[in-house]
Amino acid sequence: MLLHELIQQPEGRRLEFKGGLPTNSDIAKTIVAFANDAGGEIYLGVEDAPRQIIGLPEDDLPHIEEQISNLIYDRCQPTILPEISILSVENKHLIRIQVYKGSMPPYYLKNEGKLKGTYIRVGSNNRLADENIITELERKRMNISFDSEVVMDKTVEELNIEEFKQLYKEKTEEILDTQILHKLELIKTEQGKVYPTNALVLFANDPLRYSMFPNAKVECARFKGTGTEEFIDQKSITVHIGQQAEEAYNFVLRHINKGAAVEGIYTVSRWEYPVKAIREIIRNAVVHRTYSLTGKDIKVAIYDDMVEITSPGLLPPSIDYAAMEERQSDARNRVIAPVFKRLGIIDQWGNGLKLVAEEMKSYPEIELRWKEVGLSFQVQFVKKTLSLNAHVNGDVTNNVTNDVTNDTILLDLIHKNPEITTKELAEALKLSERQCKRIIADLKKQGILSREGTNRTGHWIINER
C-alpha cells in the first residue's frame, strides 16, 4: 500500500497516528501493545481527528528519533527493537515507528512491572492486560496452547467422555482408545497417571467441564426487530464443544426464511442468508475461541436485519478477513482444531474463509462485516435493504418500501440536516439507537462521516459521498 493511501486508513489494531511526539507513557504503551500482538506502525506528524498531515520540523527530526530510541530502551521490557525511519509526503516530514510482533511476550512498562504495565491492542486502543491475558501471552512465548495443558482434578478413567466417544466413532468409524487419545494430545501421562488435557475436558459431558468452563457454551437468541429489547426465542447450548456448532446452526435455520428463486428454467429454494458461510463462522467461533477467557460465551444473535456471531478472543494476528480468498490457517487451540478436522467439522488447511468469500458472491444483497468488540471478535451478515414506512424525505408516507442501504439513507438524512441527532436518525430509520450508532461508527471508520463539536451542539460532516 502506498504511503499516501495508508495515511488515509483508520487507526486500528496495527496502526496509530500522532501529530507530534506524545508523552513518554503514551507512546511506550502503544509500542508494548503492538509487540504483544501483531506488531504495528506509528506515524508521527499526522493528526488523527481530523486526519491531516502536519509534518514535523526538519531540524527536530534527529532529536525526535533519538528520543524515541531512548524511551523505548528505557521504558520497555523485554527489549523491543523497532525500525525508525524518516519519510516525506506532500513536502512534509514524518517519522514512522515500525514495531514487529515480539518473540518474548509479555512486554510491559519497566516502571509499572509485568502485572500493572502489560498492554494489549484492542481495536485502536491500548488496554491494560489482566492476569488471564498475561498468562496467555506467557503461553505464547513458550509455544504452548491452553487446550494442551494437563488437568489433574480427575484421571481420564474418572472423566465421563462417553458421548464424545460415540460422536468420534460415528464421524471417523474409529474407536477412541487410549492410543488415539494420546496421539491427539487429549490425554497426557504425569507421575505415572493418565490425565486429560483442557481439550478433553471441553469434549466431556462431566461435572468437571461445567465447573472449570461454565461459559464454554453458545447463547442463541432471536430478537424482535433490530434491537435487543424483546426476545422471540432463546436457547443456551451447553453440550460438549463437539456438538455446539451444529446445534447453534440449527437454531439459525429455524429463525431465518427460505424462499424460491428461478434459475434458468428451474425453481430452486434459497435461504435469505448465506447459510454455508454462517455455518462456517459458527464453527470457527467454537474451534478458535479463547477458552482461557473466563466469563465469556459465544453469542449467536438473529435480528430482522442481520445474523451476528460473537466469539471470545481477538482474531489471531496472522488471520486477515480482508484477504478471505487466500488460504489462511492459524489454530489458537492446537489440540481442539485437529480433533475437529478428524470429525469433519472444519478444514484444518485454511479453506474456511475462502468458502465464506465464495458463498458471499452469491448473496450481493448481504454485507459481511467484522470487527473487534472488546476482547471478542464479531462477524455480521447484514441485509443491505431496508423496508421503510416513513421519514426518508422527512415526510410521513404510508406503505412505502425503499430498496436502499441503511448507510445511504442515513447519509441522505444528514445531508439534509447536519444537526440531526442520533436519536432522530434511529427513529427515521426505524432502528434502535444501538443499531444506528453501529452504522455511524462504521461510516466514521471508513472516513466517510465525522462530527464536529459536542454531541449536543455539534454537527455532522460528510467527507465523501
Side-chain angles (χ1 to χ4, degrees):
M1 184 181 296
L2 297 175
L3 178 60
H4 187 78
E5 294 176 351
L6 187 143
I7 288 173
Q8 302 309 315
Q9 298 297 309
E11 284 192 321
R13 187 172 178 181
R14 306 183 190 187
L15 188 61
E16 185 160 303
F17 299 103
K18 298 291 183 185
L21 184 64
T23 64
N24 288 351
S25 60
D26 281 348
I27 195 168
K29 287 177 184 177
T30 301
I31 288 166
V32 159
F34 280 161
N36 278 326
D37 191 48
E41 296 175 311
I42 306 169
Y43 286 85
L44 305 184
V46 183
E47 285 283 5
D48 183 45
R51 182 68 55 77
Q52 57 181 328
I53 301 171
I54 59 175
L56 300 170
E58 186 174 1
D59 293 341
D60 292 347
L61 293 174
H63 176 63
I64 295 173
E65 187 176 1
E66 184 179 0
Q67 273 187 290
I68 295 167
S69 297
N70 289 339
L71 79 85
I72 294 173
Y73 180 80
D74 293 338
R75 299 182 66 87
C76 303
Q77 182 79 25
T79 301
I80 298 173
L81 299 173
E83 184 178 300
I84 304 172
S85 53
I86 298 171
L87 309 173
S88 294
V89 59
E90 297 179 3
N91 295 319
K92 294 177 181 176
H93 301 290
L94 311 177
I95 287 182
R96 178 180 66 188
I97 307 168
Q98 173 78 59
V99 182
Y100 297 99
K101 178 183 176 182
S103 60
M104 293 291 291
Y107 293 88
Y108 54 90
L109 303 182
K110 282 183 184 179
N111 61 328
E112 298 290 341
K114 186 190 296 185
L115 292 180
K116 296 183 179 179
T118 300
Y119 288 83
I120 58 169
R121 194 74 171 171
V122 179
S124 60
N125 299 306
N126 303 319
R127 176 167 174 172
L128 188 65
D130 61 20
E131 288 190 34
N132 284 334
I133 294 172
I134 292 171
T135 302
E136 188 67 26
L137 289 169
E138 289 173 336
R139 288 191 198 99
K140 189 186 297 184
R141 183 187 69 223
M142 295 182 289
N143 200 27
I144 297 172
S145 62
F146 173 76
D147 61 338
S148 70
E149 293 186 337
V150 174
V151 178
M152 303 184 76
D153 298 64
K154 283 186 175 182
T155 63
V156 68
E157 291 81 7
E158 297 169 328
L159 191 70
N160 180 5
I161 58 170
E162 290 308 311
E163 286 192 21
F164 175 49
K165 284 183 175 180
Q166 292 173 15
L167 176 67
Y168 191 88
K169 190 173 189 306
E170 176 188 328
K171 298 294 184 181
T172 68
E173 298 183 353
E174 295 179 4
I175 295 174
L176 189 63
D177 56 21
T178 302
Q179 183 178 355
I180 293 177
L181 287 170
H182 267 294
K183 184 178 179 180
L184 294 174
E185 295 189 67
L186 290 166
I187 60 175
K188 292 183 179 179
T189 302
E190 297 283 344
Q191 300 174 358
K193 291 186 178 181
V194 181
Y195 294 100
T197 58
N198 281 323
L200 187 58
V201 174
L202 286 162
F203 279 111
N205 269 353
D206 192 279
L208 183 60
R209 173 165 67 86
Y210 301 113
S211 62
M212 285 185 63
F213 303 107
N215 292 98
K217 56 189 173 71
V218 184
E219 291 291 343
C220 300
R222 172 62 168 104
F223 295 101
K224 184 177 182 180
T226 57
T228 58
E229 292 80 14
E230 187 176 347
F231 286 98
I232 292 176
D233 188 18
Q234 57 183 318
K235 181 178 182 179
S236 293
I237 298 174
T238 60
V239 293
H240 70 72
I241 63 171
Q243 298 171 322
Q244 289 179 1
E246 289 309 294
E247 287 204 18
Y249 174 66
N250 289 331
F251 182 90
V252 173
L253 295 185
R254 288 200 302 272
H255 290 287
I256 63 174
N257 297 321
K258 191 175 186 180
V262 177
E263 293 183 4
I265 62 173
Y266 301 101
T267 300
V268 296
S269 60
R270 185 176 189 267
W271 292 97
E272 63 176 319
Y273 287 99
V275 293
K276 290 181 181 177
I278 289 173
R279 186 182 201 174
E280 187 65 31
I281 296 300
I282 292 173
R283 287 173 168 180
N284 283 345
V286 176
V287 176
H288 300 303
R289 66 159 287 180
T290 304
Y291 285 98
S292 60
L293 284 178
T294 57
K296 293 181 180 291
D297 46 40
I298 296 169
K299 287 184 168 54
V300 176
I302 306 168
Y303 304 89
D304 283 359
D305 63 338
M306 72 171 173
V307 176
E308 179 182 87
I309 300 107
T310 307
S311 178
L314 303 179
L315 198 65
S318 62
I319 299 297
D320 184 3
Y321 263 60
M324 296 181 72
E325 295 197 24
E326 299 176 9
R327 291 179 184 270
Q328 301 182 64
S329 182
D330 188 347
R332 172 183 283 120
N333 298 309
R334 298 177 194 170
V335 177
I336 292 171
V339 174
F340 271 66
K341 172 65 170 62
R342 284 209 175 194
L343 296 174
I345 298 174
I346 65 164
D347 186 331
Q348 192 176 4
W349 307 114
N351 280 337
L353 291 184
K354 189 175 181 181
L355 182 153
V356 173
E358 286 299 316
E359 197 185 13
M360 291 306 300
K361 293 176 183 177
S362 302
Y363 282 81
E365 72 276 21
I366 302 295
E367 179 184 359
L368 181 68
R369 299 177 183 172
W370 60 89
K371 59 184 175 181
E372 292 171 344
V373 182
L375 290 176
S376 297
F377 185 70
Q378 188 175 87
V379 178
Q380 298 169 335
F381 296 85
V382 185
K383 292 180 180 177
K384 293 180 180 178
T385 57
L386 176 68
S387 178
L388 293 178
N389 291 324
H391 301 287
V392 175
N393 296 309
D395 302 319
V396 176
T397 306
N398 293 324
N399 301 320
V400 177
T401 300
N402 295 275
D403 205 23
V404 290
T405 67
N406 293 352
D407 292 12
T408 302
I409 299 169
L410 185 142
L411 290 171
D412 283 342
L413 292 168
I414 288 174
H415 180 69
K416 292 168 184 172
N417 178 14
E419 296 180 356
I420 191 170
T421 66
T422 303
K423 183 178 180 181
E424 290 169 339
L425 285 168
E427 290 173 352
L429 291 167
K430 297 293 186 183
L431 300 175
S432 67
E433 282 194 57
R434 169 182 171 274
Q435 189 79 4
C436 191
K437 287 178 180 178
R438 184 163 52 215
I439 295 171
I440 290 170
D442 286 343
L443 290 170
K444 284 182 174 180
K445 187 175 181 180
Q446 296 173 50
I448 296 172
L449 187 65
S450 57
R451 185 167 180 85
E452 195 169 279
T454 65
N455 289 335
R456 180 175 296 180
T457 62
H459 62 276
W460 301 102
I461 299 172
I462 299 174
N463 303 312
E464 180 184 331
R465 292 309 303 271

